[in-house]
Amino acid sequence: MASDPAWWTRSTVYQIYPRSFADSNGDGIGDLQGIVSRLDYLEALGVDVLWLSPIYASPQDDNGYDISDYQGIDPVFGTLDDFGELLASVHQRGMKLVMDLVVNHTSDEHPWFVESRSSRDNPKRDWYWWRPARPGTEAGSPGAEPTNWGSFFSGPTWTYDEPTDEYYMHLFSRKQPDLNWENPDVRAAVYEMMRWWLDRGVDGFRMDVANMLSKDVSLPDGLVRPGFEFGDGWPSFISGPRIHEFLAEMHAEVFAGLDRPFLTVGEMPGVTVDDAALFTDPARREVDMVFQFEHVGLDRGTSKWDAVRLDLTRLKRSFNRWQLGLADIGWNSLYWDNHDQPRAVSRFGDDGEHRVRSAKLLATVLYLQRGTPYVYQGDELGMTNTPFASIDEYRDIETLRHYRSALAAGADPRVVMAAIAVASRDNARTPMQWDTTPHAGFSTGEPWIGVNPNFVDVNAAAELADPSSVFQHYRRLIELRRTHAVVALGDYRPLLADDPVVFAFHRRLAPDELLVMANFSGEPANASIDDVEVWRDAELLISNDDGFTMIDDRFALRPWEAFVLRRTIP
Ligand code: TEU
Ligand code: CA
């Protein structure tokens, strides 16, 4: 990294899912005043930046990722004044606040789409993707869609609008029509909206599906894989032909004149290491970092509903590829969880006997890598998945539409429910567990989604009071990134790539070298590394156990043990 390292190389971001964080008015839904009431807690954790999932006016078809007014706060979350108060309090505490930017699509109730849909010659018709039925088909009938692409939320990516006798595109739900970024008026309107929020003092944006803004305008059909009803449209909208041009233009139009620190992170399903190096190369002025999805796809087979056992060597190879791939140019984000992923401790750890140890291990191996860590609300408590008994307890549009389409295709409901229990996004969206009072202290009213019954044991109050808790481990990891430059900027060197249970690597930045080692299993494990002797008297920076054990020339690791050693490079 040529010039002075950017401020966010030493920062940690905390993601808040406002619906599920803290409810201040007892309606069972989290809100802005709820977040204000918990800022002491976030300051105690030591995070530097808060990222808010969408709080804008929205019909909430996809929990706010369907926006009907980009410059309005949804009344369920509060008012612009509440937002102003939150932002001021965050800044007073020396933290920053990043908004969610959802501009690949709007809500179908956004005035732009209402106009666009009203007639074929409406000036905003071309603000979205409208196309006639496939030639030789009857409009409105299955197969008449302009392309054969499948939506992320089951079904086709096109919906027929009878009054204007054309289809509109929506990669997600039919209430999330895609904006046509080919139209410069669309881009100008988005940039103006972003500047409006920056003028109000926000410190940056997390950009939703930021690598889907540019589509292949010839709209070719996609390959239909065996067993799938629809074609794969990804080659036509993942990192499309003009994506770098659009993100560079956005940077120039929105951020170039900004004379204060800001952060941008692009959520990019399907992004490759090479693409990411282009997107995050500071010289190209596109985004500061990206969210890539490789590691969160390694326990899935043909779809996210097809769970497979994680092979640790594949996980390590993926991390190694991203760490080494962006070593010289670009920058990584580091995350296990967000509002779209099931809880990591249930998925990659052990949410039973070894919940605390494995939760600490997962944070240790991730946050000691090179990149900016993202803590998703509840990670710092070791919150786990919540398998609901009935489909009626689920709320997520992706989950509910999958359930319906799987059953329509003849699947066994018990099999589908089992898959949903493992992979549903609702696992991440259960209320934050603050204490042992009713509804885990999240709300005095009936929460919009069920609370994980393990809140009696797993909650912030208990974690804050326990010096050996997951919370305290997270707090120390976050602090390490500030106190030790090697953690933020050190070179990454993988070790033991083929070991099936031990994850180990070095970080190196004179005068420090670190050894990070973790046993990803419930059984004891041994690990031998070349220069083992130099670590025998090393400083223990952090561990989820009481220190480390060396027997002869190897490390003896207890189940789910993880530690970080530091030595001074001669
Ligand atoms: O997610 C994009 C995305 O890729 C996810 O849909 C992901 O594939 C899926 O959830 C994994 O199961 C973003 C937001 O994070 C998500 O919450 C929204 O639903 C989606 O975009 C549409 O805005
Ligand atoms: Ca509320």
Side-chain angles (χ1 to χ4, degrees), residues 535-547:
W535 296 100
R536 195 172 294 280
D537 310 315
E539 174 195 358
L540 178 69
L541 276 188
I542 192 168
S543 114
N544 66 353
D545 204 312
D546 53 6

Side-chain angles (χ1 to χ4, degrees), residues 300-345:
R300 295 169 172 181
T302 54
S303 81
K304 68 173 286 174
W305 310 109
D306 171 24
V308 298
R309 199 185 64 71
L310 173 75
D311 170 346
L312 184 72
T313 60
R314 291 187 64 207
L315 180 70
K316 294 192 286 185
R317 272 201 298 279
S318 175
F319 280 138
N320 295 348
R321 197 175 29 254
W322 283 90
Q323 287 287 299
L324 300 174
L326 300 185
D328 305 321
I329 293 214
W331 189 255
N332 276 296
S333 66
L334 306 170
Y335 75 94
W336 283 123
D337 280 325
N338 58 41
H339 60 293
D340 292 334
Q341 304 295 331
R343 293 279 179 184
V345 72

Side-chain angles (χ1 to χ4, degrees), residues 431-445:
M432 186 67 174
Q433 297 166 207
W434 293 106
D435 55 41
T436 58
T437 61
H439 309 310
F442 161 74
S443 173
T444 55

Side-chain angles (χ1 to χ4, degrees), residues 88-412:
S89 310
V90 167
H91 285 162
Q92 265 146 28
R93 293 160 187 269
M95 295 192 277
K96 291 183 169 53
L97 189 146
V98 161
M99 297 291 274
D100 213 309
L101 179 77
V102 187
V103 291
N104 171 71
H105 44 267
T106 68
S107 165
D108 64 344
E109 298 182 29
H110 191 293
W112 294 347
F113 188 72
V114 173
E115 276 190 58
S116 182
R117 176 178 219 161
S118 64
S119 75
R120 286 199 187 187
D121 48 27
N122 180 283
K124 285 200 169 46
R125 187 69 169 183
D126 187 41
W127 281 44
Y128 294 83
W129 294 86
W130 291 96
R131 291 292 185 280
R134 178 185 295 269
T137 66
E138 191 204 332
S141 61
E145 294 85 7
T147 76
N148 66 352
W149 304 346
S151 155
F152 281 81
F153 296 158
S154 307
T157 58
W158 299 87
T159 291
Y160 180 57
D161 177 63
E162 197 155 349
T164 60
D165 187 26
E166 280 191 327
Y167 286 81
Y168 66 89
M169 178 202 295
H170 52 85
L171 296 182
F172 296 90
S173 90
R174 66 178 59 217
K175 287 186 70 59
Q176 291 169 297
D178 279 54
L179 280 167
N180 173 16
W181 273 68
E182 300 296 318
N183 184 327
D185 298 338
V186 167
R187 302 198 305 268
V190 168
Y191 304 153
E192 187 186 350
M193 175 267 288
M194 294 173 73
R195 288 191 295 267
W196 185 85
W197 280 106
L198 290 171
D199 293 345
R200 296 187 79 87
V202 306
D203 305 294
F205 296 95
R206 174 267 185 190
M207 304 177 182
D208 195 58
V209 287
N211 65 334
M212 297 184 190
L213 308 178
S214 167
K215 277 77 172 177
D216 175 343
V217 294
S218 68
L219 301 178
D221 275 340
L223 198 65
V224 181
R225 285 181 288 155
F228 282 74
E229 183 184 2
F230 294 99
D232 174 13
W234 283 48
S236 301
F237 56 74
I238 293 293
S239 302
R242 298 178 69 188
I243 192 63
H244 292 288
E245 173 199 342
F246 291 160
L247 292 176
E249 181 189 68
M250 176 193 280
H251 195 286
E253 294 292 324
V254 176
F255 299 107
L258 201 58
D259 59 355
R260 57 188 171 86
F262 64 91
L263 178 150
T264 58
V265 52
E267 182 212 22
M268 297 195 177
V271 70
T272 63
V273 172
D274 295 346
D275 283 340
L278 295 175
F279 283 124
T280 64
D281 176 354
R284 295 170 56 94
R285 297 182 183 289
E286 297 180 21
V287 294
D288 297 322
M289 58 195 90
V290 301
F291 290 133
Q292 54 94 2
F293 286 67
E294 233 177 63
H295 59 305
V296 292
L298 295 176
D299 60 344
R300 295 169 172 181
T302 54
S303 81
K304 68 173 286 174
W305 310 109
D306 171 24
V308 298
R309 199 185 64 71
L310 173 75
D311 170 346
L312 184 72
T313 60
R314 291 187 64 207
L315 180 70
K316 294 192 286 185
R317 272 201 298 279
S318 175
F319 280 138
N320 295 348
R321 197 175 29 254
W322 283 90
Q323 287 287 299
L324 300 174
L326 300 185
D328 305 321
I329 293 214
W331 189 255
N332 276 296
S333 66
L334 306 170
Y335 75 94
W336 283 123
D337 280 325
N338 58 41
H339 60 293
D340 292 334
Q341 304 295 331
R343 293 279 179 184
V345 72
S346 297
R347 190 177 182 189
F348 302 122
D350 167 351
D351 61 6
E353 181 193 355
H354 297 290
R355 180 186 69 81
V356 171
R357 287 170 71 81
S358 61
K360 292 177 179 179
L361 174 147
L362 290 170
T364 306
V365 297
L366 190 69
Y367 295 174
L368 265 291
Q369 293 183 41
R370 185 182 157 89
T372 298
Y374 286 75
V375 181
Y376 177 65
Q377 66 181 49
D379 279 355
E380 76 280 13
L381 305 178
M383 281 176 62
T384 67
N385 280 355
T386 309
F388 292 130
S390 141
I391 192 64
D392 303 333
E393 296 173 75
Y394 285 94
R395 302 282 179 268
D396 168 34
I397 183 172
E398 182 188 51
T399 301
L400 296 173
R401 287 183 58 82
H402 169 67
Y403 181 81
R404 278 199 293 272
S405 70
L407 262 59
D412 174 342

